[in-house]
Amino acid sequence: MDRETRNAAIAAACILLLFGLAAYFLPTIMLAVGSVSTVLAAIVGAIFIVALFVVFWLRGRSQRKRGR
């Protein structure tokens, strides 16, 4: 495994670990927010899903800029 591949694997693992941890606590967060507003709880869940795709999209975009 060369340096670039290892760095990409480490970055992907960190991102997935961070989002996995957030997904673990997401139901608790949504229930707490849902006690205030159910619409707001749905928005929190949607933001979580969109954020996952945005992070990987930005990572891919930065990799393309570097010419990889």
Side-chain angles (χ1 to χ4, degrees):
M1 181 182 282
D2 63 347
R3 186 170 190 248
E4 291 179 19
T5 307
R6 185 178 61 241
N7 287 344
I10 291 171
C14 289
I15 291 168
L16 286 175
L17 183 67
L18 178 70
F19 275 98
L21 188 62
Y24 179 77
F25 291 109
L26 187 63
T28 306
I29 295 168
M30 287 184 68
L31 287 172
V33 174
S35 67
V36 175
S37 169
T38 56
V39 174
L40 194 57
I43 291 171
V44 167
I47 287 172
F48 173 77
I49 298 298
V50 169
L52 178 64
F53 289 105
V54 167
V55 166
F56 280 114
W57 174 71
L58 288 173
R59 173 121 174 98
R61 188 173 166 185
S62 74
Q63 293 296 319
R64 278 195 305 273
K65 269 188 185 174
R66 292 185 197 163
R68 293 183 188 173

